Amino acid sequence: MSKNDILLDIKNLKIEGFSDEKWHPIVKGVDLTLRRGQIMGLIGESGAGKSTLGLAAMGYTQPGCRITGGEIMFDGVDLAKLSEGKKREYWGNRITYVAQSAAASFNPAHRLIDQTTASTIRFGIKPEMTTQVEVLTAMRKVVEEFNTAAIYITHDLAVVAQMADFIKVLRHGNEVEEAPTRDMLSAPKEDYTKSLWSVRALEKEPTQEQTPILEIKNIDAAYSKVKVLNDVNISVPRGSTVAVVGESGSGKSTTARVITGLLPPMTGSIEFDGATLPNKLEDRTKEQKRRIQMIYQMADTAMNPRQTVREIIGRPLEFYLGLSGAAREKRVVELLKMIELDERFIDRLPSELSGGQKQRICIARALAAEPDFIICDEVTSALDQIVQEGILKLLMRLQKELNLTYLFITHDISTVKAISDQVVVMNLGQVVEQGKKDDVFSPPHPEYTELLLSSVPEMDPDWLTNLNKVRQAS
Ligand code: ADP
Ligand code: MG
């Protein structure tokens, strides 16, 4: 078993899944060759067949799925033809599937590892940002040291850039293309792959310096006497995007709740467009409420499942602008156009929408109020990276067309780089720094910012290697 020996050789694999009382193709004749010492990155939108193919590499199919053609040669044995009992001898012994808990993170990644050694290697996959680097490093080391191989399944393109020697792109159960990682990143052949990379290259046009539309000053806030915000000051120039970054629990969403009036602060003030806003929501006028809207991470829970798109978007039109009947209907259709959805969506229920479409409807509902200021709280965190890009592009286009100001809360640094003018870094309920994006991202950084920046992979395939060099040197 020398390096470069073929370990896994999948040929013309076909898998079907049962739904709506029929069998449907999920994997439509895919080849996959993996050699010892290699890590393959398997990427594609949800539904592309990544996990189905990954599991099939163990000879496993999920309940409701069946292999209908092809072979899965693992170290010379066709797993597709083995009995369940024989396959089990391989599982956890020579082949392991590591699934990141979907509940612990909205960015599930699955890793498939061949364990050729007798020892059982287990990874503690933790969702915190700071451990991701260690997990990635550990995984690369295992593949190298034990001359084994791995398939790394994810929709996080930056992670795949660190991990994989080569990348296979799947779409609708077919292979789009496969290439060594560097070639794939620098010169993708297929339009589909190009579109995947282009999203990361989103680049916001800088907005002209403007006076602030929103300023929160010296905010302290608490949940039943437990103080969670400590002297928070944030200033948001009109027409700009200010990103708020920080680990989970740092107080980002609480800051949003203070601004919208849902959580009145203990002390401090909220200035909006030159006037002080009442701290409590019930003391604000309808007009004050109209001008500040919010979009949430979980588009699902943000919509009433029994209301159609017409009712969801129509309600704020009626409440804030007094529109009804044909005028309301016309405006709903206009708003659907603005979010790039066909007007036929008007009769749909939330359950009949994809994740990205749901989030678009939430954006339309916020726009219905004709706000000046929109708080986006992790609005793309629950979505596939590819769907995320579409939403980010949409938000950027709308900002320009409607002169919107965004407070954009996220823990994803690459999103921040793509869309923001200014960045606020929060930690433990305090603002660590606020500044122009380029200043915040250029050294020297305050200690906490440094930690935050060095814990999130970038698309550069040398990022992890360089980071580990720097860490070893210090
Ligand atoms: P982030 O949005 O940055 O993840 P949050 O603003 O949600 O942070 O949380 C800040 C702090 O407030 C955390 O310690 C969190 O546990 C606490 N917290 C958040 N929401 C509530 C709540 N509804 N009741 C009590 N404590 C809360
Ligand atoms: Mg939050």
Side-chain angles (χ1 to χ4, degrees):
M1 41 170 240
S2 62
K3 202 169 150 93
N4 287 326
D5 279 355
I6 290 179
L7 186 59
L8 178 69
D9 206 9
I10 295 179
K11 291 248 163 66
N12 198 23
L13 185 65
K14 291 178 182 159
I15 301 173
E16 295 181 346
F18 197 75
S19 62
D20 298 328
E21 292 164 23
K22 279 201 302 272
W23 288 98
H24 300 272
I26 301 178
V27 174
K28 302 169 183 170
V30 171
D31 297 339
L32 186 158
T33 305
L34 189 63
R35 293 169 187 276
R36 289 188 185 279
Q38 285 184 331
I39 301 179
M40 170 190 274
L42 207 50
I43 64 168
E45 301 164 60
S46 65
K50 305 184 294 292
S51 300
T52 308
L53 179 60
L55 288 166
M58 307 176 69
Y60 180 83
T61 46
Q62 278 171 302
C65 291
R66 63 178 188 194
I67 296 172
T68 55
E71 55 184 41
I72 306 162
M73 301 301 293
F74 178 79
D75 211 8
V77 176
D78 187 355
L79 296 180
K81 299 210 169 56
L82 281 191
S83 70
E84 203 72 2
K86 278 268 182 267
K87 279 191 281 196
R88 283 186 190 283
E89 290 173 16
Y90 281 78
W91 298 344
N93 177 21
R94 294 209 53 202
I95 314 174
T96 289
Y97 191 83
V98 186
Q100 183 167 14
S101 152
S105 160
F106 290 108
N107 185 9
H110 308 286
R111 302 150 174 97
L112 181 70
I113 303 162
D114 168 48
Q115 297 173 184
T116 48
T117 53
S119 63
T120 309
I121 303 146
R122 293 244 171 264
F123 293 97
I125 308 280
K126 300 210 185 102
E128 296 107 63
M129 300 160 87
T130 37
T131 58
Q132 192 177 15
V133 167
E134 276 111 64
V135 171
L136 298 181
T137 307
M139 179 144 169
R140 282 204 329 200
K141 228 163 126 187
V142 164
V143 169
E144 221 164 273
E145 280 181 12
F146 297 97
N147 194 26
T148 176
I151 298 176
Y152 198 97
I153 305 171
T154 178
H155 57 248
D156 190 328
L157 304 176
V159 166
V160 110
Q162 308 313 311
M163 293 300 293
D165 301 295
F166 62 117
I167 295 176
K168 190 192 274 298
V169 184
L170 288 185
R171 191 183 197 197
H172 306 318
N174 291 306
E175 175 175 322
V176 176
E177 68 178 298
E178 181 186 302
T181 301
R182 276 161 211 280
D183 299 350
M184 184 72 104
L185 293 176
S186 60
K189 290 197 187 70
E190 300 297 322
D191 286 345
Y192 178 69
T193 318
K194 284 178 197 159
S195 76
L196 298 187
W197 299 160
S198 74
V199 277
R200 286 294 102 180
L202 273 181
E203 188 76 57
K204 189 181 188 303
E205 292 170 33
T207 39
Q208 297 296 321
E209 276 297 289
Q210 295 281 353
T211 50
I213 186 168
L214 179 97
E215 279 182 290
I216 61 172
K217 292 180 179 163
N218 310 111
I219 297 285
D220 284 2
Y223 294 103
S224 47
K225 302 220 173 79
V226 182
K227 199 161 150 188
V228 296
L229 293 186
N230 197 344
D231 194 25
V232 168
N233 292 274
I234 296 175
S235 172
V236 186
R238 189 186 296 273
S240 72
T241 299
V242 173
V244 182
V245 291
E247 284 173 278
S248 163
S250 57
K252 305 183 298 294
S253 296
T254 303
T255 302
R257 260 173 240 140
V258 167
I259 295 169
T260 53
L262 291 171
L263 180 72
M266 299 156 76
T267 54
S269 66
I270 308 159
E271 315 279 328
F272 185 74
D273 203 11
T276 303
L277 275 186
N279 282 346
K280 287 191 198 153
L281 188 62
E282 62 257 38
D283 296 337
R284 297 187 187 176
T285 64
K286 192 187 264 192
E287 185 66 3
Q288 284 169 332
K289 289 182 203 159
R290 180 187 69 73
R291 297 182 65 190
I292 300 178
Q293 292 293 314
M294 180 138 177
I295 310 168
Y296 300 88
Q297 171 173 347
M298 300 306 288
D300 256 320
T301 51
M303 290 188 286
N304 182 335
R306 280 180 292 276
Q307 286 184 344
T308 61
V309 165
R310 174 186 286 107
E311 293 163 304
I312 292 167
I313 303 177
R315 259 191 105 216
L317 289 175
E318 205 162 300
F319 178 76
Y320 288 118
L321 307 170
L323 291 184
S324 61
R328 186 179 108 152
E329 181 86 359
K330 182 165 166 266
R331 186 64 185 149
V332 173
V333 171
E334 275 171 18
L335 285 160
L336 284 174
K337 272 212 190 86
M338 276 163 76
I339 53 153
E340 296 154 11
L341 284 185
D342 193 282
E343 62 182 270
R344 280 172 302 183
F345 276 86
I346 200 163
D347 290 313
R348 294 222 189 158
L349 291 167
S351 59
E352 297 165 320
L353 302 168
S354 72
Q357 288 165 347
K358 278 181 200 154
Q359 200 53 288
R360 282 171 192 263
I361 297 301
C362 289
I363 293 171
R365 176 176 60 185
L367 293 179
E370 300 187 3
D372 302 290
F373 187 87
I374 301 181
I375 302 173
C376 303
D377 191 353
E378 304 274 8
V379 292
T380 56
S381 303
L383 302 172
D384 265 19
Q385 198 164 3
I386 295 148
V387 178
Q388 285 184 19
E389 301 288 350
I391 297 287
L392 294 177
K393 274 187 192 158
L394 173 68
L395 287 170
M396 284 162 79
R397 200 199 82 219
L398 292 168
Q399 176 168 50
K400 234 163 95 181
E401 286 174 12
L402 305 170
N403 192 30
L404 295 167
T405 307
Y406 293 144
L407 189 73
F408 199 97
I409 297 171
T410 179
H411 64 265
D412 179 24
I413 304 290
S414 57
T415 302
V416 175
K417 286 189 173 162
I419 59 127
S420 68
D421 297 293
Q422 289 196 23
V423 180
V424 174
V425 182
M426 288 190 76
N427 184 31
L428 301 172
Q430 289 185 306
V431 171
V432 177
E433 64 173 326
Q434 165 161 15
K436 285 191 192 141
K437 174 174 60 180
D438 290 346
D439 296 339
V440 171
F441 286 128
S442 330
H445 308 290
E447 197 180 337
Y448 179 74
T449 308
E450 179 69 46
L451 184 70
L452 196 68
L453 293 179
S454 67
S455 59
V456 187
E458 291 173 25
M459 280 293 271
D460 171 8
D462 295 322
W463 179 87
L464 186 63
T465 310
N466 291 339
L467 177 70
N468 282 328
K469 267 189 210 146
V470 171
R471 286 193 174 179
Q472 262 155 26
S474 64

